[in-house]
Amino acid sequence: MLDFPSWKKWLTWATVIVFSLLAVPSLLPENIRQQVPAWVPMPAVNLGLDLAGGSYILLEAKTEDVATNRLESMRDQVQTSLGKAPRIGVGDISVRDGRVSFLLRDASQVDAARQRLLDDGLIGSGAGLTGQREWDLNVVDTQRFVITPTSAGEAQAVERAMQDATEVVRRRIDELGTREPTIIRQGANRIVVQVPGLQNPEELKSLLGRTARLEFKMVDENADPALVAQGRAPVGSEILPYPAFQQRIALKRQTIISGEQLTDARQEFSPESGAPIVTMRFDTTGGRAFARTTAQNVGKRFAIIVDDVVISAPSIRSEILGGSALIEGGFTTESANQLAIALRSGKLPVDLTVIEESTISPELGADSIRSGVIAGIVGTGAVVILMLVAYLRFGVYANIALVVNVLMIIGIMAIFNATLTLPGIAGFVLTIGAAVDANVLINERIREEQRRGRTVIASVEFGYKEASRAIFDANVTNVIAAIIMFVFGAGPVRGFAVVLTIGIVTSVFTAVTFTRLMVAEWLKKNRPKQLVI
C-alpha cells in the first residue's frame, strides 16, 4: 500500500503540478492577464452573472407563427415544384384556413401532379425520427389539391424552430464578443439568456428581438397604385410596408434569394456618400440566382426585405455578377452593425419577445465575492489550525493536500472554461470539507491501528487501506447525488453539481493518493520507531 513505483510517483506529482499551474491565471487580476502575450495559453474560470454582474433576459417565442411560416413555405415549394412541369396547368396557389390548396386546369393531370410533389419530397411517407407524416394530401372535387399539416408535423416543426432559435441566439451573442453567456431552453417556448459583464441590455434586446428574415423579391410593376394603397394585392403578389417612402409596395410572392443563401454580411461605408451600409455575399446558388434574375429583369425593380419590411427597392441597371449586394437605408453605424450581425448569424425561425429582464450590478457581485472569500478564509483557517493541533505532522500533510485540492478544482474548471456562480462557491466549500473529512478518517484509523499494537509502517498501511474503502463508498454516493442534480436541475443547481463532482474527484485523489505519497516518502527516509499522531 505504501510502495510507490517510480512511474506512479512521477504521474502523481505531474498531475498535481499541471493542474495547479492551470489554476494560476484564474487567480491573477484581469489587468495582469491582459498583459500576457496572446500566444501564452491562459485558461481561466469565468464569473457568473451573480458574481460579475450583467444582464438577464427571458425570451418567449411566438410558436403560432411557425404554422403560418410552414404553410407559406409549402405554398412556395409547391409553386416551384409544379413550375418545373409546364404540362401541368395550375391556378393560383392559396393559403387559407390552415391549408394550402390549388386547382388543376386539367383533371387528367392529377396523378402527374401528385407524383411530382412526391418526387420532390414535399409530401413524404414519414417525418423526422417519429416516422409520422408531416402533411396530408387530399384531392377534392376531382381536381383541387388540399395539403393539410398534421399535428405531429406541427409539433416537430415547433421543436425544430426552438432548437434553431436557441442556436441563432447563441451565435448572435457570440458575435458581440461577450464571455461565457448562458443560453438555455426553459419550457416549450422560452429561452433564458444570461450575459455576465453586460450592463446595458438594450443593445442585446434589440439584436435578439430581430428575426432578420432576409428576402429578395421582384416589385410587381403592374399593380394598380390605388389598390395597393388600399391594401389590395394582385393575384400572386403581396403588399409590404416601405418605410423609407412612407408607403406600401406590391411585390411578387416568389423569393429570388433568401437568407439561407447568405454567407457573409458586414457593416461598411458607402464610397459615394460615406453613409453606413450593409454589404452581403451569397453562396454559389444564391449568386447564380441573383445574376440570372438581374439579367432577365434589367430596367425593373427588385426589393430587399428584412422581417417583412422593405428596406430598399432599387432599379436593376445591369446584370449583377459576383454574388454580392448591399443594403442602403438611412442606417446609423450601430444599426447597420446590428443588422449585419443578425443577418450573418442566421434568421430566427420564430419571433422572440422579451417578457422579463433584469440587470445585476457588478458591485453586488463584488460584495458576494468578498463575502465568499472572507467565509472561505475563516473556515479554511480554522480547519488548518484544527488539523495541525490534532494531527501534527499528518496535519501538515492534510493541509498541503487541502491547498492542492483547491488549486486542482480551479485548474480543472479553467480547462473547461467553466463559469463560477454563488452555488458553485457553495459546492467548492463543501468539497473542501469532504477533503478534510477524508484525512480525518485516515488519521483516526492510523491511531486505532497503533492502539492495537501494530508497528509504524503497518499502522499507516492498514490505516490508509481500511479508511480508503469508507472514503470511496461515501464519495460514490455523493457523485450519484451530484449527477442526479445535474440531470434534473437547471442553472444554479447544475453549477453546484458540476463543482461538487469535480471537488469530490480531486479530494479523493489528494486525500488518498497524494498524502499517501508524502507519508510514504517520509517513512522511507526517516524510518521512525514511534509515530506521534
Side-chain angles (χ1 to χ4, degrees), residues 299-311:
K300 297 181 181 180
R301 299 167 67 200
F302 72 94
I304 303 173
I305 306 120
V306 177
D307 294 342
D308 294 328
V309 175
V310 177
I311 303 297

Side-chain angles (χ1 to χ4, degrees), residues 60-77:
E60 186 174 68
K62 296 180 180 178
T63 53
E64 60 271 15
D65 292 343
V66 175
T68 302
N69 294 336
R70 289 183 74 227
L71 289 170
E72 293 177 352
S73 176
M74 175 58 73
R75 177 194 59 205
D76 294 340
Q77 292 179 71

Side-chain angles (χ1 to χ4, degrees), residues 82 88 104 106-119 137 139 142 145:
L82 297 181
I88 303 177
L104 293 182
D106 186 353
S108 64
Q109 297 294 323
V110 168
D111 290 337
R114 187 198 305 271
Q115 191 60 46
R116 167 61 65 179
L117 297 178
L118 289 172
D119 290 344
L137 175 63
V139 180
T142 69
F145 278 66

Side-chain angles (χ1 to χ4, degrees), residues 56-63 158 162-163 165-166 169 183-193 350-356:
Y56 167 92
I57 293 177
L58 179 60
L59 302 167
E60 186 174 68
K62 296 180 180 178
T63 53
V158 169
M162 289 304 301
Q163 291 177 355
T166 303
V169 168
I183 304 158
I184 56 176
R185 290 268 304 274
Q186 186 180 84
N189 64 336
R190 291 183 175 182
I191 301 175
V192 174
V193 178
V350 289
D351 290 336
L352 297 176
T353 304
V354 178
I355 61 173
E356 184 181 340

Side-chain angles (χ1 to χ4, degrees), residues 247-300:
Q247 64 181 35
R248 289 185 286 184
I249 187 171
L251 308 174
K252 297 291 187 181
R253 287 189 180 275
Q254 186 174 6
T255 301
I256 303 170
I257 305 176
S258 65
E260 284 80 2
Q261 295 161 314
L262 191 73
T263 59
D264 193 18
R266 300 286 171 185
Q267 181 270 314
E268 295 182 8
F269 294 94
S270 171
E272 299 175 356
S273 63
I277 60 174
V278 177
T279 59
M280 299 171 293
R281 183 167 294 278
F282 303 102
D283 60 18
T284 303
T285 303
R288 289 173 180 171
F290 196 41
R292 183 175 59 253
T293 302
T294 53
Q296 295 172 353
N297 295 277
V298 174
K300 297 181 181 180

Side-chain angles (χ1 to χ4, degrees), residues 445-463:
R445 187 64 195 229
I446 294 174
R447 278 179 172 175
E448 186 176 335
E449 295 300 328
Q450 279 193 297
R451 294 191 190 101
R452 292 177 178 177
R454 294 187 185 275
T455 63
V456 171
I457 301 294
S459 297
V460 174
E461 185 168 359
F462 273 90

